[in-house]
Every structure is written in C-alpha cells, then in structure tokens.
Amino acid sequence: MTNRMLDTQDPCGAVLIALADPTRRRIFEVLVHKPRSVAAVAQTVPVSRPAVSQHLRQLSDAGLVTVTKEGTRNIYAARREGVEVLRRYLDGLWSDVLTAFAEHVELKEQK
C-alpha cells in the first residue's frame, strides 16, 4: 500500500485542504457550472463578499480556480487541472483498495 501524507506543499494536499471547508467547496461547485464575479459568487453563499474573496484566494492558491480581469471585475472559473490532481490521488487510493481486496481474496482461497 502506498503511503500518502496530506502536505500543503503537495498539490493534492493543497486541494484537499482547500475543499475541506464547506463554504469553499460550495463556491468551487458554483464555479464549476460557470465563471462568475465575486459579487455573483457572494449571492450563492451565506458569507460576506470579503469572505468570498478570501475563499477564492485560497481556491486559487490551491490551483482550483483561475481569475481573469474584465474591466474592474475579477471573473473566477473552475480550473480543470486542479481537479485532475485530486482525481489522480483518488484513483491511486482506489487502485490500492482493489489490490488489497484481491490479495485478501487470494489468501482466503488458499485456506
């Protein structure tokens, strides 16, 4: 079994930490559907606009969102590559689970 530690220096660790917060996870889910401004995102969650900005910064630092300037507004969008990091991590865990299960079945059959 592979040893995986949650580390903020590790891209996957940063993604997991960022998505562990329910408000950040909800903001990310909103952005998956379409890019939005801070004001538009703030309408979807029960926190202030400054709090939304802080959450968006953390999502950006984790590589989960991108920001584009449109005039005076920042438009945030979900970043596919950020999710790919998490997907590879979970696929690896699932592979470990299947391997352990196969080994368990083989041991039972040998008895």
Side-chain angles (χ1 to χ4, degrees):
M1 176 129 356
T2 307
N3 182 17
R4 294 177 175 89
M5 294 191 54
L6 210 54
D7 179 0
T8 56
Q9 299 301 314
D10 168 39
C12 184
V15 168
L16 288 169
I17 290 167
L19 293 177
D21 180 275
T23 302
R24 271 195 300 278
R25 194 167 50 250
R26 174 66 184 133
I27 290 170
F28 180 72
E29 290 166 356
V30 165
L31 294 174
V32 164
H33 295 289
K34 73 176 191 177
R36 298 174 193 245
S37 66
V38 175
V41 172
Q43 293 176 352
T44 68
V45 291
V47 296
S48 67
R49 284 172 74 170
V52 168
S53 292
Q54 289 176 352
H55 285 300
L56 287 166
R57 180 170 300 132
Q58 289 174 314
L59 289 168
S60 178
D61 289 348
L64 288 166
V65 299
T66 60
V67 60
T68 307
K69 278 272 202 207
E70 280 188 11
T72 59
R73 299 183 321 156
N74 288 329
I75 305 299
Y76 289 85
R79 186 172 170 267
R80 179 186 196 133
E81 296 85 0
V83 177
E84 280 298 316
V85 168
L86 183 58
R87 183 173 182 201
R88 283 192 304 272
Y89 172 74
L90 293 173
D91 285 347
L93 287 179
W94 185 243
S95 177
D96 290 349
V97 167
L98 292 177
T99 299
F101 179 72
E103 289 170 0
H104 176 75
V105 168
E106 286 178 27
L107 285 173
K108 282 209 154 235
E109 288 175 352
Q110 291 175 0
K111 289 184 179 182

